Amino acid sequence: MTSPVSNLLLASLSPAYRHSLIARLKPVSLRLKEMLYDNDGPPKFGHFLTSGMASVVSTMANGSTTEVGIWGKEGMPQSFHLLGNAKVPTCCFMQVAGTALQIPFKELQKEFQEVPEFRECVLQGIQSHGFILSQLAACNRLHEADERLARWLLMVRDRVGSDSFYLTQDFLATMLGSRRTTVTAAASALQRRGIIKYSRGRMNILDAKSLEEAACECYPTIRNLYQDFFSANLVA
Ligand SMILES: [Zn+2]
């Protein structure tokens, strides 16, 4: 069973408040493709992810899609919804099945409005996530598919805490916003070098050090931002 405090946002709260909050959260399993929010109104729930990974995906008018962000156990994908009533142009679903502690979104809003400690932690997470998004925007514009694939696989590895995870081939293309053939070629090149093994939807990272060398400079930048999530007030 994953520990509730494997979620970094929850881990950063003071023990007394964290205990009272966790008592009101419901442990849930999140299956592959399960929607955490879409662009049709406010989410039903907030999810403190404790394992797995969620993708934030943007869809254009012609139906083409690309991943614009990811969330793992560092936080809560519905954080941005707490800031106001803006219509969200993205959706977010589980890309690697996992677990979370769930709370009705209305209760989450109340907590955000009434508990300064909780609000400060959520805002800290939003700031870190915002900086990661700006790095990803530059990466998607300036870096090649093969180095972005390596960067992305390392980001998933950090979030799921494993060298092995299931990924659909279609999603690899969505993630890179590239043609499927481009992604297949990039993955095949990494596989030929013995860095990864991708078979029947299971991705195995065989040589993380070489994968880091194959990734663009954005990976260490994003890793540092990820590791700094809530670190200023992290409770041991
Ligand atoms: Zn990059």
Side-chain angles (χ1 to χ4, degrees), residues 135-136 138-144 147-148 151 215-219 222:
Q135 188 73 31
L136 289 176
C139 183
N140 290 335
R141 177 72 183 83
L142 297 173
H143 292 153
E144 299 298 330
E147 52 187 358
R148 285 192 287 127
R151 183 263 295 156
C216 56
E217 67 195 65
C218 301
Y219 174 64
I222 290 169

Side-chain angles (χ1 to χ4, degrees), residues 156-198:
V156 176
R157 177 178 182 260
D158 288 344
R159 282 155 183 79
V160 303
S162 172
D163 287 322
S164 179
F165 38 87
Y166 278 105
L167 287 173
T168 65
Q169 202 164 27
D170 280 347
F171 192 74
L172 283 173
T174 297
M175 174 276 301
L176 287 169
S178 302
R179 292 175 194 278
R180 189 166 162 160
T181 49
T182 306
V183 177
T184 303
S188 299
L190 290 173
Q191 188 150 282
R192 274 197 304 277
R193 293 167 60 192
I195 297 173
I196 63 167
K197 185 171 189 305
Y198 185 59

Side-chain angles (χ1 to χ4, degrees), residues 25-38:
L25 304 177
K26 179 184 174 190
V28 292
S29 294
L30 299 169
R31 65 187 187 281
L32 179 67
K33 300 278 172 86
E34 184 158 344
M35 198 64 82
L36 302 189
Y37 67 77
D38 58 24

Side-chain angles (χ1 to χ4, degrees), residues 8 158 222-231:
L8 299 186
D158 288 344
I222 290 169
R223 180 182 56 197
N224 291 341
L225 282 164
Y226 177 77
Q227 288 175 341
D228 286 348
F229 257 64
F230 317 112
S231 61

